[in-house]
């Protein structure tokens, strides 16, 4: 066995004759355990929150979406539609047309986006699973709106006698002040068949209706779209699918996957995760100053032993290495125990959901191997730095 490692392990197990040194060593080890456990729990919590936040967008966003390269709309011809159907990697695709409109009901008003979708829309997204009241039914009379929209307009499902009114500006030119206001917009009555609920911003944004109905409201023909949604057989083939779709439409459209559609959300979540990691790492850096102090106290406590080893032929470099290895062992063992304790807490939260956000919703956490590696790597690196600083205090004057 390596001699410095053997002596370092002996020092790790042995107790000092000075009670104060034992207390300092115990506190140092406890701080490392608590710090590493806290870092792992926080990273696991953020991983759970990230997955939980992105699950909202998964209900609305497809695997891949084609958007107009310029303006709000782009045309699709019959040949292009047939070509899309021949792409093997595409399981389903759905056409949509959306525009901002004014909603009114019983002298109450709200601004929202009407989204006209075809019958395949629920095959490329999971939006129908978000309906909390009523059902998903889109036809010439009925549509689906967000719960926040319904609350703000005081409207409910199946109000056939008093439906929701949707006002959309007619396409054209000229000043509105020079025209009769009743002639500048189209009006559409819509009975709500269902109300969806995901999160506040989305719940007050969309009203879903039949594609043909919205095309008529906006005075667009059946070839005019604002987007095409794609569901892929295997999301890993997304680059190949992008190339095939781009070959069909040329420079008419730009293609975005789910991550690109929500780039701001991804950036925000990643930035928050990084900031939290850096803050807790700073706490660990401060805590590991205790390691420097503890090893320094150990050096002074074992000064006579070091002199004996030096007299027996141990080099100064090997004596320093003894205390360096001891510091690394203490931090690594403390980090490993901390991760194990953190894993038990995260596992119990996943199994029992004892920490609640609401009475029916457990705080989301996620156990990821990458977080285990990040915590252990952080502890080991900081431990090596702390041990190096402390072991450098051993010099010839101390042990000669």
């Amino acid at each position: 066995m390596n001699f410095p490692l053997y002596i370092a392990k002996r020092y790790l197990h042995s107790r000092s004759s000075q009670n104060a040194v034992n207390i300092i060593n115990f506190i140092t080890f406890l701080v490392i355990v608590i710090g590493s456990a806290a870092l792992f729990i926080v990273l696991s919590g953020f991983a759970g929150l990230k997955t939980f936040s992105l699950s909202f967008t998964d209900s609305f966003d497809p695997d891949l979406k084609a958007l107009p390269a310029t303006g709000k709309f782009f045309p699709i011809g019959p040949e292009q539609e047939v070509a899309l159907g021949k792409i093997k990697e595409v399981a389903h695709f759905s056409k949509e047309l959306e525009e901002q409109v004014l909603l009114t009901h019983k002298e109450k008003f709200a601004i929202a986006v009407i989204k006209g979708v075809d019958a395949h829309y629920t095959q490329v997204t999971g939006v129908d699973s978000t309906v909390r009241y009523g059902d998903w039914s889109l036809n010439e009379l009925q549509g689906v709106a967000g719960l926040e929209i319904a609350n703000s307009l005081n409207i409910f499902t199946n109000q056939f006698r008093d439906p929701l009114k949707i006002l959309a500006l007619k396409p054209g030119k000229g000043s509105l002040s020079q025209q009769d206001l009743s002639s500048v917009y189209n009006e559409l009555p819509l009975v709500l068949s269902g109300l969806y609920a995901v999160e506040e911003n989305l719940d007050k944004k969309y009203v879903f209706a039949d594609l043909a109905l919205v095309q008529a409201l906006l005075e667009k023909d059946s070839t005019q779209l604002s987007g095409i949604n794609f569901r892929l057989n295997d999301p890993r083939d997304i680059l190949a699918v992008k190339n095939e779709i781009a070959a069909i439409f040329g420079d008419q459209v730009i293609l975005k996957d789910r991550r690109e559609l929500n780039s701001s959300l991804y950036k925000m979540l990643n930035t928050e995760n990084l900031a939290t990691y850096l803050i807790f790492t700073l706490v660990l850096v401060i805590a590991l100053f205790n390691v420097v102090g503890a090893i320094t106290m150990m050096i002074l406590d074992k000064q006579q032993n070091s002199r004996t080893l030096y007299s027996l032929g141990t080099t100064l470099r090997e004596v320093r290495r003894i205390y360096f290895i001891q510091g690394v062992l203490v931090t690594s063992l403390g980090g490993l125990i901390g991760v194990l304790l953190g894993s038990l807490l995260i596992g119990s939260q996943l199994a029992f959901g004892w920490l609640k956000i609401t009475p029916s919703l457990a705080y989301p956490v996620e156990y990821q191997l990458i977080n285990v590696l990040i915590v252990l790597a952080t502890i080991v690196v900081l431990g090596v730095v702390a041990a190096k600083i402390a072991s450098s205090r051993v010099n010839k004057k101390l042990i000669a």
Side-chain angles (χ1 to χ4, degrees), residues 9-64:
K9 289 173 67 176
R10 291 291 301 271
Y11 283 173
L12 191 65
H13 293 98
S14 64
R15 292 178 63 84
S16 171
S17 58
Q18 301 293 326
N19 193 46
V21 175
N22 293 326
I23 293 174
I24 292 173
N25 289 338
F26 175 76
I27 292 175
T28 300
F29 186 75
L30 190 62
V31 166
I32 296 170
V33 171
I34 294 174
S36 56
L39 178 58
F40 178 73
I41 291 170
V42 168
L43 291 179
S44 299
F46 262 91
L49 282 174
K50 183 177 180 179
T51 302
F52 182 70
S53 299
L54 295 177
S55 66
F56 295 144
T57 64
D58 291 348
S59 301
F60 275 76
D61 296 325
D63 294 331
L64 185 64

Side-chain angles (χ1 to χ4, degrees), residues 227-345:
I228 304 176
N229 305 284
F230 297 92
R231 171 80 175 273
L232 306 185
N233 291 316
D234 187 352
R236 291 174 295 183
D237 298 329
I238 194 165
L239 185 59
V241 176
K242 278 186 175 182
N243 293 332
E244 291 189 59
I245 296 174
I248 295 173
F249 286 98
D251 57 358
Q252 282 184 304
V253 301
I254 55 175
L255 298 164
K256 292 186 177 183
D257 58 28
R258 186 176 285 124
R259 188 182 186 91
E260 291 168 334
L261 289 169
N262 299 282
S263 57
S264 298
L265 178 60
Y266 274 92
K267 287 179 182 178
M268 181 191 71
L269 293 173
N270 290 335
T271 301
E272 288 180 350
N273 196 10
L274 178 61
T276 304
Y277 168 75
L278 293 176
I279 291 171
F280 270 79
T281 301
L282 179 61
V283 173
L284 281 177
V285 169
I286 297 171
L288 285 171
F289 277 113
N290 290 333
V291 176
V292 178
I295 296 175
T296 302
M297 293 294 293
M298 182 63 71
I299 291 171
L300 296 175
D301 185 61
K302 302 293 185 180
Q303 185 177 5
Q304 189 60 45
N305 292 7
S306 300
R307 287 175 180 173
T308 301
L309 292 173
Y310 186 70
S311 299
L312 291 173
T314 306
T315 64
L316 180 62
R317 185 168 178 269
E318 288 176 325
V319 175
R320 285 175 177 170
R321 190 167 177 79
I322 290 171
Y323 295 106
F324 172 77
I325 293 174
Q326 183 188 2
V328 173
L329 288 175
V330 168
T331 52
S332 300
L333 184 61
L336 183 60
I337 293 175
V339 169
L340 289 175
L341 290 176
S343 298
L344 289 175
L345 285 172

Side-chain angles (χ1 to χ4, degrees), residues 64-303:
L64 185 64
K65 188 168 188 175
L67 298 167
T70 57
K72 293 183 179 181
F73 313 104
F74 66 94
I76 179 173
E79 300 83 2
Q80 292 172 316
E81 196 165 344
V82 171
L84 290 178
K86 292 181 179 179
I87 300 177
K88 294 180 180 179
E89 293 84 358
V90 174
H92 304 282
F93 71 91
S94 170
K95 298 177 291 183
E96 70 173 43
L97 180 67
E98 66 176 43
E99 183 61 284
Q100 194 171 59
V101 293
L102 176 67
L103 309 179
T104 177
H105 181 255
K106 293 183 178 179
E107 299 183 353
K108 293 185 177 181
F109 301 90
I111 301 294
V113 173
I114 187 166
K115 186 188 285 282
V117 297
D118 60 20
H120 301 292
Y121 190 70
T122 55
Q123 296 174 320
V124 298
T125 67
V127 66
D128 54 328
S129 65
T130 65
V131 175
R132 297 291 178 265
Y133 303 97
D135 55 26
W136 180 272
S137 179
L138 305 183
N139 52 49
E140 294 181 354
L141 296 175
Q142 295 179 297
V144 176
L147 185 60
E148 290 292 327
I149 292 176
N151 289 338
S152 64
L153 297 177
N154 193 26
I155 190 171
F156 308 99
T157 59
N158 300 321
Q159 289 188 254
F160 288 91
R161 293 185 177 181
D162 193 9
L164 174 68
K165 292 181 180 179
I166 302 174
L167 305 178
L169 286 173
K170 292 181 178 180
K173 299 180 180 179
S175 172
L176 292 178
S177 61
Q178 298 175 354
Q179 304 180 41
D180 180 11
L181 289 180
S182 61
S183 66
V184 300
Y185 61 81
N186 293 321
E187 181 176 318
L188 171 69
L190 193 69
V191 177
L192 298 183
S193 64
L195 302 175
Y196 73 84
V198 181
E199 58 94 19
E200 184 179 356
N201 290 329
L202 289 174
D203 293 351
K204 63 183 180 183
K205 184 175 182 180
Y206 290 112
V207 174
F208 292 92
D210 181 69
L211 176 60
L213 202 64
V214 176
Q215 286 172 332
L217 174 68
L218 302 179
E219 297 185 8
K220 303 293 180 183
D221 59 49
S222 60
T223 65
Q224 293 294 308
L225 305 174
S226 60
I228 304 176
N229 305 284
F230 297 92
R231 171 80 175 273
L232 306 185
N233 291 316
D234 187 352
R236 291 174 295 183
D237 298 329
I238 194 165
L239 185 59
V241 176
K242 278 186 175 182
N243 293 332
E244 291 189 59
I245 296 174
I248 295 173
F249 286 98
D251 57 358
Q252 282 184 304
V253 301
I254 55 175
L255 298 164
K256 292 186 177 183
D257 58 28
R258 186 176 285 124
R259 188 182 186 91
E260 291 168 334
L261 289 169
N262 299 282
S263 57
S264 298
L265 178 60
Y266 274 92
K267 287 179 182 178
M268 181 191 71
L269 293 173
N270 290 335
T271 301
E272 288 180 350
N273 196 10
L274 178 61
T276 304
Y277 168 75
L278 293 176
I279 291 171
F280 270 79
T281 301
L282 179 61
V283 173
L284 281 177
V285 169
I286 297 171
L288 285 171
F289 277 113
N290 290 333
V291 176
V292 178
I295 296 175
T296 302
M297 293 294 293
M298 182 63 71
I299 291 171
L300 296 175
D301 185 61
K302 302 293 185 180
Q303 185 177 5

